[in-house]
Amino acid sequence: MTRSGQGAELHGRALLAGEAGGSALVLEAPLSLWGGMDPRSGRISDHHHPQLGATMTGRIVVMPSGRGSSSSSSVLAEAIRLGTAPLAILLAEPDEILVIGALVAEYLYGRTCPILVLPQDAGGAIATGDQVAVAADGSVTVG
Amino acid sequence: MRLSRCDRAMLAGADGPAGQLAMRMIVKLAELAGAPELIGIASAHIDGCLYHGQAGLDFAERLVEGGAAVRVPTTLNVSSLDLLHPDRYRGDPETARAARRLMDAYVAMGCRETWTCAPYQLPGRPGFGEQVAWAESNAVVFVNSVLGARSARYGDFIDICAAITGRVPNAGLHRTERRRGQVVFDLRAVPDRLLGEDVLYPLLGHVVGAESGSLVPVVDGLPPAVGEDRLKAVGAAAASSGEVALIHVVGSTPEAPTLSEALQRREAVKVVTVTPARLRAARDELTTAGPGRGRLAGVNLGTPHFSVAEFGALVALLAGRRVHPQVECYVNTSRHVLARIEERGWLATLEAAGVRLVVDTCTYVTPILRDTGGVVMTSSAKWAWYAPGNLGVQVAFASLRECVDSAVEGRVVRDDALWSGR
C-alpha cells in the first residue's frame, strides 16, 4: 500500500475486472446476499447484520466475505439486472459464488459489477463515505 | 491449467452454445480456485431452480435454447411452488408463472423432479469418496460430512454448468488435503442430559458455523454414531450461521473415526470449548420474539425437509392431540418422503390433527404463511435464521416437543428447565 497526500492506492486482485467509482460502504460483518439483500430495494435485509437497512445500491461495497447461502449468485445477478447492485464489491477473501453471479449478469445484460480481493494489509484503509475508484487492473484509489 | 481434449472441444463449441457457455463458466471457476485441472463428477444437485427473479430465468432459458442437457444424474432442490398443493401459494400469480417456467426449464435440461433440499433422503445417494457437484448449503455439508462424498460449495448457475459439462475444478473439498479438520469444538463441558436431546444439535451447529470462519470444523465429545437427522440439523445450522461445507464428527462421520484422523494427524489450528451457556446463547440468537413472546401465529417444521423418522417423532409427540385452530402448523418435506408417510398411514393422522404438509418448496422461501403478524416457532435453526429477513416474522427457536405443545395449546410454550442449572 502506498500513500500520497490524503489518497491511498491499494493493489487488489480482480476476480472480475472492471472500472467503477463512488462512495464506499464498509460492511462490519460478512453478508450472505441471499436472505441478506433485497434486490428490489438494494437494502441489507439480514436481521442478524449490524447494518440492517443500509442501501448497497450505487456504493463501492467493502465486505469481509459473502458468508452463507449458495443462492447469493442469483441475488447478485438479479440486483445487477435491476440496477440495485453495488458499483463494485471489494472483498477480504475470494468469493466464487459472488463472482459467478456477476459473470452471469455480465453475459446476459452486458453490465459489469467488478469484484476484487483487497490485499491482506488493507484492513481499515477504506472507511464508509470515502470516495473510491476501481481500475480494470485491480488497483483501488481511496480519497 | 490442463484441459482434456473433451474439455477443449466443449469450450470450442462442439456441444453447442449451451455446452460452451457452461464450460466457460467452469473454466473461469477453475481459474479463480487455482485448480490445475478439471475432474469428472458422478452426480449433481441443482439449487438454481428456486425463483429469485428474472435473471435466474433468463439464464436457464438461454441454456435450454442453446441445447443444454445434463450429462450426469441430476436432482433438483426446492422450487417456489408446491405443485401437489398449489393452493398453498399466496404470492402474486405473475411470480408463480415465472417460477413455474424456471422449473420447466430445469426439467427440460434432463434434471429429475425431486424438488427437495434433502436429496440425501432419496435412494441412490452418492457413495464414499465419490466426486459430485452439489448446491444448497445444507446438502453440501451432508454429502461431504455424512456420506464422505466430495463436493465444493456450489451455488446457483455454476451448479447446472457442472451438470451440463460433467466437470468441476479439482480444488477445495474435492482434494483430500483440503478436507483436513482444523478447528476442534470440544464438548466435554456439555452434560450428558443435553447431549441426549435433539434440540442440542441445531444449537451446536449454530455455534460451529458462527465460530469456524473458513476453517474445517471437527466436533469432538458427542456419543458415537450420532443419527443422520441430528447430523442434518448440525450441518444445516452451521451452513446458515457460517460458510461451513464439511463438519467432521468424531465417532460418527466416515472421515473421523478418531480425532487424530479427522485432523489428518496434524495439530488443530484452534480449539473452541462449547459450554451449556454458549448453547443457550445460540437459542437466544435464533429467537427474535421478545421476552413476552406475544401471540403464537404458527409452527414451522422441516427445514431441511422432514425425514420419515422425524415424522414418526412428530406423530408420537402429538399423541392424538389437535393443533389449536388459531395456529398454522406446517411441515415441509419432499414428495418422496410424503409417499412413505402416506404408506404408513401417518399422513391421514397428521391431516386430521390439523397439520398442513408442504412439498416441493419450503415455507421460508415463498409466500405460504397466512399470518405473519405473530410469533412463529420452529425447531429448525435454518428457518429461525432466515425467516425474519425473508418473511418479516418474529421467530422463537425451540425443541420439537416445545413446538408441538405450543401448536396444541395455541401459545408459546418453552421449557427452560433443560437450560437451568449449569
Side-chain angles (χ1 to χ4, degrees), chain B residues 74-249:
Chain B
T74 301
T75 47
L76 288 168
N77 205 57
V78 295
S79 72
S80 307
L81 305 173
D82 179 340
L83 295 185
L84 300 190
H85 313 97
D87 56 330
R88 296 261 195 266
Y89 177 81
R90 304 176 61 78
D92 73 89
E94 196 184 328
T95 302
R97 277 193 294 273
R100 185 59 201 261
R101 269 174 62 186
L102 184 68
M103 296 170 78
D104 292 344
Y106 279 98
V107 173
M109 288 187 258
C111 306
R112 289 173 56 204
E113 298 178 67
T114 48
W115 313 122
T116 181
C117 56
Y120 43 81
Q121 292 172 359
L122 304 174
R125 58 195 197 171
F128 181 79
E130 213 164 81
Q131 301 286 0
V132 300
W134 277 29
E136 160 52 38
S137 63
N138 102 83
V140 174
V141 181
F142 195 97
V143 82
N144 275 313
S145 313
V146 183
L147 304 184
R150 298 184 173 198
S151 178
R153 206 166 64 96
Y154 294 101
D156 291 359
F157 308 136
I158 200 73
D159 49 11
I160 189 66
C161 293
I164 290 167
T165 59
R167 306 284 281 172
V168 292
N170 187 9
L173 293 177
H174 291 289
R175 303 175 69 94
T176 301
E177 70 274 14
R178 295 291 298 275
R179 301 175 69 84
R180 174 172 70 93
Q182 294 164 302
V183 49
V184 175
F185 289 84
D186 182 342
L187 268 71
R188 279 175 298 185
V190 179
D192 286 347
R193 65 179 170 82
L194 277 176
L195 298 180
E197 296 285 338
D198 286 341
V199 73
L200 170 96
Y201 294 82
L203 296 174
L204 170 63
H206 180 81
V207 173
V208 167
E211 304 198 11
S212 289
S214 55
L215 301 176
V216 174
V218 182
V219 174
D220 189 28
L222 286 177
V226 173
E228 288 199 358
D229 288 323
R230 286 178 170 181
L231 294 174
K232 169 181 89 162
V234 174
S240 300
S241 64
E243 55 187 290
V244 169
L246 164 64
I247 305 173
H248 298 297
V249 179

Side-chain angles (χ1 to χ4, degrees), chain B residues 118 120-123 228-229 232 302 304-316 331-347 350 357 400:
Chain B
Y120 43 81
Q121 292 172 359
L122 304 174
E228 288 199 358
D229 288 323
K232 169 181 89 162
H305 278 168
F306 233 38
S307 69
V308 174
E310 287 172 319
F311 273 111
L314 174 61
V315 168
V331 186
N332 302 290
T333 192
S334 65
R335 298 172 172 206
H336 174 77
V337 168
L338 180 74
R340 302 290 85 73
I341 67 161
E342 199 166 5
E343 288 161 9
R344 285 169 165 77
W346 292 345
L347 179 60
L350 291 168
L357 270 72
L400 182 62

Side-chain angles (χ1 to χ4, degrees), chain A residues 10-71:
Chain A
L10 308 169
H11 299 281
R13 179 161 71 96
L15 304 179
L16 183 62
E19 294 178 357
S23 162
L25 171 67
V26 180
L27 301 193
E28 295 155 24
L31 179 71
S32 164
L33 293 194
W34 185 79
M37 176 198 187
D38 179 354
R40 287 159 302 182
S41 68
R43 287 175 185 275
I44 294 175
S45 57
D46 177 354
H47 283 235
H48 305 275
H49 199 278
Q51 287 151 294
L52 173 67
T55 299
M56 299 170 84
T57 308
R59 308 294 292 271
I60 305 283
V61 171
V62 182
M63 59 196 273
S65 73
R67 184 204 62 72
S69 171
S70 52
S71 296

Side-chain angles (χ1 to χ4, degrees), chain B residues 59-71:
Chain B
F59 184 67
E61 292 191 337
R62 185 73 68 91
L63 287 172
V64 172
E65 285 162 22
V70 297
R71 287 188 165 221

